[in-house]
Amino acid sequence: MRRPTSLTAAEQSRLRRTTRALGLQTALLVLACLAVVGAVVLLVVVQGQRESGENRLEAATRSVDDVRDAPAGTWVAIDGPRGLEVSDGMPEGLPDLDVMVEVTRSGTEVRSRVEAAGGTYSVVTAPSRGGAVQVVLDPHEAQEELQRLVAALVVAGGTGVLLAGLGGAWLGRRAVRPTVEALALQRRFVADASHELRTPLTLLSTRAQLLRRHVHAEDAVPSGSPVLSDVDGLLEDTRALTSILEDMLVAADARSVDRSPVDVAEVADAVVAAARATAADRGVDLARTGVTSAVAEVSAVSVRRATTALVDNALDHAAAGVRVDVERTGGMLVLRVADDGPGVPDAQTDLFGRFASHRPAPAQDGRTHYGLGLALVAEVAAQHGGSVEAGPRADGSHGTVVTLRVPVRAPRDR
């Protein structure tokens, strides 16, 4: 038997919200179906009552010769040799004597609806034995039947909607819980892996700091030697990797990104500076363009990780040059990374999907590319309510430009 995963309070709360939403949606769907069915039933019943009333009126005008023989649910008025005779209980304002006189004179049947005694009555007046007979249909019986039907539909429909909502919530919980548990296990794996990597990374950072201290203290390396800058770069890279692990821990906690005012231009400068050695080894000119300062409410670690992934991706494809441009356009901060590589194939539409790399493995640099860099950029864009897209360069030259847009101000929580 599979042991259920222990969910945190936040995950339990999300599971409850999801099941309530599914239950409500199921109830609304059932309510809409019942409303349609109820409307059709009412239309059929009303049409049936109308036809039944017409048939009852037709039969009464042809067969009744005494007001005491009036069929149930009708009143009769007869104008004949014995004068005007009217059924007991005839509504005030009826019979319609003017119509009876007209029918007696013309000998033609007349159907009408008469407003009398606070209601509307169907009336049929027909010639009969030198006079006229007028039959009035009592609408109260049909109205009471219709009211009973509506009440039954409301009670049955309400009960059905309630049961559907509860059943939808129960089924939704059973259907969603495995997904929630899987996501919880995934986040815990990321958190555990990140936590376990922190110890060797801390040792690596410590050794890099000791190496830097020895190099600078013992004058073992001539001043101006590239070894000094490489040691500083190694130390900076360990710090960046530590920040990435911290960001992974935050992401595994399933909470919103921790935003603060960050100068994205400075982040881009730092990423470009850290990647210059790699660009030089590959013979690529890496340059930073755009504004020198662009402050936005973002997660510094996430934006640095996205910028690093974009620069690394551009260096992998570039032939001779990569440009990193930062600017502010309205309420959006725009980061563009352009290269002069082969460009994006028209058929390649999954650039930002995981494991979407279409490069041979291993690539020319000897590394295996798993296609996760741009997927991480897409996740950072989604976390910040922004977007990312890739396309040809605006100047028409060979290459690709990947554009990351994020709001300058974080959306306020409701």
Side-chain angles (χ1 to χ4, degrees):
M1 180 182 293
R2 182 179 64 88
R3 183 180 179 182
T5 304
S6 177
L7 301 180
T8 64
E11 292 162 348
Q12 290 282 6
S13 177
R14 177 173 296 181
L15 180 61
R16 286 193 295 270
R17 291 197 303 270
T18 303
T19 54
R20 283 198 296 266
L22 289 174
L24 178 60
Q25 292 170 2
T26 303
L28 292 176
L29 179 61
V30 172
L31 178 61
C33 295
L34 290 177
V36 173
V37 173
V40 173
V41 170
L42 289 177
L43 287 176
V44 172
V45 170
V46 170
Q47 182 64 27
Q49 289 179 342
R50 182 178 295 112
E51 293 178 358
S52 176
E54 293 293 333
N55 293 334
R56 194 183 306 176
L57 289 173
E58 184 72 21
T61 56
R62 296 182 182 278
S63 61
V64 173
D65 54 5
D66 193 320
V67 294
R68 291 172 294 182
D69 297 334
T74 61
W75 296 286
V76 176
I78 300 176
D79 185 14
R82 292 180 296 182
L84 180 64
E85 298 177 292
V86 180
S87 297
D88 295 336
M90 177 78 74
E92 185 178 353
L94 288 171
D96 190 341
L97 299 178
D98 293 338
V99 173
M100 296 183 71
V101 171
E102 177 64 24
V103 169
T104 300
R105 184 185 61 82
S106 63
T108 304
E109 181 179 288
V110 175
R111 294 175 177 269
S112 60
R113 295 182 64 83
V114 179
E115 294 285 343
T120 302
Y121 299 86
S122 297
V123 179
V124 174
T125 307
S128 175
R129 297 179 183 179
V133 57
Q134 188 171 86
V135 182
V136 180
L137 181 66
D138 184 3
H140 296 93
E141 181 180 349
Q143 291 174 356
E144 291 175 357
E145 180 182 358
L146 195 61
Q147 289 173 357
R148 289 192 296 269
L149 177 61
V150 171
L153 288 175
V154 170
V155 173
T159 303
V161 169
L162 179 60
L163 293 177
L166 295 176
W170 180 72
L171 292 175
R173 185 179 183 86
R174 294 196 61 181
V176 172
R177 186 179 179 86
T179 303
V180 175
E181 292 178 354
L183 291 175
L185 287 174
Q186 181 183 19
R187 285 196 298 270
R188 289 170 193 175
F189 170 77
V190 174
D192 293 343
S194 302
H195 183 270
E196 292 299 324
L197 287 173
R198 292 177 70 184
T199 299
L201 184 59
T202 301
L203 294 176
L204 177 62
S205 177
T206 302
R207 293 182 183 276
Q209 293 178 30
L210 291 174
L211 177 61
R212 181 177 182 276
R213 185 180 306 169
H214 291 320
V215 168
H216 284 278
E218 298 177 1
D219 295 330
V221 178
S223 178
S225 172
V227 175
L228 297 176
S229 61
D230 289 341
V231 171
D232 291 338
L234 176 62
L235 184 58
E236 183 63 28
D237 289 341
T238 57
R239 291 172 179 169
L241 187 54
T242 301
S243 298
I244 291 175
L245 286 179
E246 293 292 341
D247 189 38
M248 291 177 66
L249 287 172
V250 171
D253 197 20
R255 294 178 293 187
S256 60
V257 293
D258 185 14
R259 301 172 187 264
S260 60
V262 176
D263 193 332
V264 180
E266 291 185 0
V267 173
D269 290 336
V271 172
V272 169
R276 285 196 189 279
T278 302
D281 290 340
R282 301 181 186 181
V284 176
D285 178 30
L286 177 60
R288 237 279 287 149
T289 59
V291 299
T292 58
S293 178
V295 178
E297 294 180 4
V298 295
S299 168
V301 176
S302 297
V303 170
R304 181 186 178 92
R305 184 177 66 173
T307 306
T308 301
L310 290 176
V311 172
D312 183 63
N313 178 76
L315 290 176
D316 287 340
H317 292 86
V322 173
R323 295 291 180 270
V324 180
D325 182 80
V326 179
E327 67 175 0
R328 286 184 57 170
T329 303
M332 303 295 290
L333 186 140
V334 182
L335 172 68
R336 295 187 181 91
V337 180
D339 62 67
D340 58 352
V344 180
D346 294 337
Q348 188 171 335
T349 58
D350 58 346
L351 283 175
F352 301 99
R354 290 184 176 273
F355 306 103
S357 178
H358 293 266
R359 289 172 288 188
Q364 295 180 353
D365 55 6
R367 297 185 300 163
T368 300
H369 296 273
Y370 297 98
L372 295 176
L374 293 182
L376 292 175
V377 175
E379 288 185 1
V380 171
Q383 286 177 344
H384 290 79
S387 63
V388 62
E389 60 184 6
R393 297 178 57 160
D395 56 8
S397 58
H398 290 289
T400 303
V401 57
V402 182
T403 305
L404 172 65
R405 293 183 175 86
V406 295
V408 173
R409 294 187 178 276
R412 302 306 175 190
D413 293 335
R414 290 182 292 179

